């Protein structure tokens, strides 16, 4: 999952949201302003993800790391990601859907078309096949 966050989030998901944010800022500056520095948040999330991945790598390789330190990092990672996703799902994306025109979405999609989702895209990578199946099973259960 962390590998997916490190690759997909930073290489596709957040850059696409950055494009959406730029369009939203042009179409509805007040709505965009409600999210503060979304691009900065994405940079901070990328750094937090790298720090958590490094900490997890150390734990898995049985390197000494204070339990409290790692636990705090893990809680911070989950807290920040959940808050970020909630804000996007409940506020940012609905605001963008209201403000952006069809041509905005087409231009964003065209700009992002060279990149693909390694987990849920039509050509999902084999290394993510099991993870994809697990995520889809969780979604069906919930």
């Amino acid at each position: 999952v962390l590998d997916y966050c490190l690759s997909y989030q930073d290489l596709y998901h957040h850059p696409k949201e950055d494009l959406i944010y730029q369009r939203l800022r042009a179409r509805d500056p007040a709505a965009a302003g409600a999210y503060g520095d979304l691009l900065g948040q994405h940079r901070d999330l990328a750094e937090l993800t790298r720090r958590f991945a490094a900490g997890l790598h150390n734990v898995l390789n049985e390197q000494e790391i204070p339990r409290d330190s790692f636990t705090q990092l893990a809680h911070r990672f989950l807290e920040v990601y959940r808050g970020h996703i909630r804000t996007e799902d409940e506020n940012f994306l609905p605001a963008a859907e209201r403000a952006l025109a069809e041509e905005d979405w087409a231009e964003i999609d065209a700009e992002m078309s060279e990149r693909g989702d390694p987990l849920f895209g039509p050509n999902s990578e084999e290394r993510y096949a099991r993870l994809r199946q697990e995520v889809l099973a969780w979604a069906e259960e919930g």
Side-chain angles (χ1 to χ4, degrees):
V1 171
L2 269 175
D3 181 51
Y4 180 75
C5 287
L6 288 166
S7 60
Y8 175 70
Q9 297 285 33
D10 292 344
L11 298 175
Y12 184 81
H13 181 77
H14 289 154
K16 185 171 184 174
E17 287 179 348
D18 292 347
L19 292 173
I20 293 168
Y21 178 73
Q22 291 167 356
R23 296 287 175 132
L24 179 60
R25 196 171 51 202
R27 297 259 183 206
D28 188 348
Y35 306 104
D37 182 15
L38 188 69
L39 283 68
Q41 291 174 30
H42 288 160
R43 285 189 302 272
D44 293 346
L45 280 169
E47 174 60 27
L48 178 59
T49 303
R50 285 189 295 273
R51 283 193 353 251
F52 180 61
L56 183 60
H57 175 79
N58 290 340
V59 167
L60 293 174
N61 287 303
E62 299 181 7
Q63 295 182 10
E64 286 193 36
I65 180 170
R67 181 181 295 234
D68 288 345
S69 174
F70 179 73
T71 301
Q72 288 175 1
L73 181 59
H75 284 284
R76 178 79 177 135
F77 173 79
L78 292 172
E79 176 185 302
V80 169
Y81 256 91
R82 285 178 179 154
H84 182 73
I85 291 168
R86 186 173 32 258
T87 297
E88 288 176 347
D89 289 347
E90 295 174 3
N91 302 307
F92 171 68
L93 293 174
E97 287 172 359
R98 287 188 300 273
L100 271 60
E102 203 171 297
E103 62 266 14
D104 292 319
W105 294 109
E107 290 173 12
I108 290 166
D109 287 343
E111 190 164 339
M112 297 302 298
S113 68
E114 294 179 12
R115 303 173 192 176
D117 182 341
L119 182 58
F120 290 104
N123 299 316
S124 60
E125 294 180 19
E126 188 173 317
R127 66 187 173 138
Y128 292 118
R130 192 177 88 239
L131 175 59
R132 181 178 189 274
Q133 292 305 315
E134 289 177 17
V135 169
L136 293 174
W138 292 336
E140 288 177 10
E141 291 173 7

